[in-house]
Amino acid sequence: MFSSRRVDAPSPAAPAGVSDLSPKSQELAAGLDPASESSASDRASDAATSPGTRTGRRHRHDVDVMRVLAGLTVMIGHSGGVLIGRSEEGSDAWWLGHLAEAVNPWAVPMFFMIAGWAVLAGAPPRTEAKMWDRIVRHLVPLASWSVIFVLGFNLFDTDEVNVRHDLVRSFLEAGRPGFHLWYLYAYIPLILVFGTLVLFWRNERPWRLAALALVLAGSTVWAPFLLDLVGSDQDAWKWGFATYQVVYFVIGAFVIQHAGELRPPIWTLCLLFAASALGVLWWESQKSYPIENANPLIVGLAISVILLVSRLRLGTRTKKIFARLASASFGAFLVHVFFLELFFERLYDVEAGPVVLVIQYLGFLAAMAAVSYALSFAWGRLRLRRILG
C-alpha cells in the first residue's frame, strides 16, 4: 500500500541575529522549546513586535509556518498515495492521488532543512547536554510510536502485523505500520553529527557525542554482523543518512537563514513551484512512482516554499495561531497514520464520480488533520510531549 519514498517522510525581515540571544531565546527562535502549548501563544505575543527591533527577530514565525505546512502537506501526500494504491491506473481516483502527490514531495526534505537551520544557524547547541536533550526529544517519541503503531494496528489488522517481528524491526528501521517514521532514523544521526561539529567549533569537547557518532559510523558493518551472529531473520539497518539528506540539511540552513535577503519576484517563485509540481506529476505518473527524495524537482518545490513563506506579513493573532500549531505539528505528524488508515483505506470510495471523489478527499483530509492536531494538543496539555512528540 505504501511505497518507497513514503517509507524511505519559518520573518519577512532579515533573518534573526539569533547568535546574540541567550541560549533559551535561541531555543524558542528555532521552535525547539519542549514547553507545552499553553505558553506558545505567550511566546508568539512577546515576539510579535515591529520587524526592525531586536525583540521582533527573536522568533522566526516563518519557520512556524513552514513546520505547519510541511506537516499538513505530508498528510496530503500520504492520502494521495493511498488513493493511487487502491485505484486502477488511469481512473479518476488514481489521477486525484497523483495530483495530491505532485505538491507533496518537498515536505519531508523540509524537515531536514529546518533541522539544519536550527542546528547550524537558528539555535546552535551551546553544550553537550543541550544536544543530548535534542536527540532524546526525538528518540523517545520514535520508540514510543513504534510500539504504539505495532500494538494498535494489531488490534484490527492482525493479518498484516507480526507483533514480535515488527517490534524488533523498529530498533533497526521503520516499516509498516509506522512507515512514516523512516525520516527519524536519518534525522537523529544528522543532528548528532552536525551538533557535535558545532560544539567542536565552539571549543567544546563533546566526547560522548563523538563516540556515539563513531559507533554509528560503523553500524552498517557491525549491526548486520551481530544480527547474523544471533541468527536473527532481521536483515535491515537504516540508522544513517544519505548524501541528499546532508545537502538538504546544509543548503536548507543557508536558504532559511538568508531568506529575507533572497527576494526574487513572487511570480518567479510561483512559476517555479508550479513547474516543479507539474514535473513531479509527469515523473510519477509516466516515469517512476514514487519520485525519489533526491530528485532535483523537489529542490524547486522546497526552495520556492521557503522563499514564498518568508515574504508573508503575519498579524499578531496569526503569529500566535501558527506558533501554537507548530508546537503540535510533530505530534500530529506522528499520529496521523491511524486516521489515514481509517479514512482513506477503509472509508474512502474510490469508485465514486469526480465531484464526490474531491468532496470525500477534502472532507477526510480535513478530518484527519483536525483529529491529529486535537490529539497532539491533548497530550501536550497532559505534559506528555516528551514521550509522544
Side-chain angles (χ1 to χ4, degrees), residues 87-109:
S87 54
E88 295 184 6
E89 183 174 348
S91 66
D92 291 334
W94 186 83
W95 277 111
L96 178 58
H98 273 296
L99 287 172
E101 279 274 21
V103 299
N104 158 72
W106 63 271
V108 173

Side-chain angles (χ1 to χ4, degrees), residues 27-171:
E27 289 292 298
L28 298 182
L32 295 170
D33 188 75
S36 65
E37 297 88 342
S38 60
S39 63
S41 60
D42 296 332
R43 296 198 302 269
S45 178
D46 293 339
T49 57
S50 60
T53 66
R54 183 186 180 106
T55 305
R57 295 196 301 268
R58 289 177 61 187
H59 189 90
R60 287 292 297 271
H61 292 283
D62 55 334
V63 176
D64 287 339
V65 177
M66 291 177 206
R67 291 172 65 195
V68 174
L69 289 180
L72 293 175
T73 304
V74 166
M75 298 183 194
I76 292 173
H78 285 167
S79 56
V82 174
L83 298 191
I84 293 170
R86 289 188 57 205
S87 54
E88 295 184 6
E89 183 174 348
S91 66
D92 291 334
W94 186 83
W95 277 111
L96 178 58
H98 273 296
L99 287 172
E101 279 274 21
V103 299
N104 158 72
W106 63 271
V108 173
M110 184 66 73
F111 296 159
F112 293 116
M113 290 179 165
I114 293 174
W117 170 77
V119 171
L120 300 177
R126 290 180 174 270
T127 65
E128 186 175 15
K130 181 59 67 176
M131 199 60 239
W132 280 111
D133 183 63
R134 293 188 188 184
I135 292 170
V136 169
R137 263 187 274 164
H138 292 89
L139 186 61
V140 171
L142 169 60
S144 299
W145 284 102
S146 295
V147 174
I148 291 170
F149 276 113
V150 170
L151 298 181
F153 272 72
N154 184 61
L155 294 176
F156 59 85
D157 202 4
T158 53
D159 291 337
E160 295 289 338
V161 180
N162 181 327
V163 173
R164 186 174 65 177
H165 179 276
D166 288 335
L167 282 177
V168 174
R169 181 186 183 187
S170 66
F171 287 99

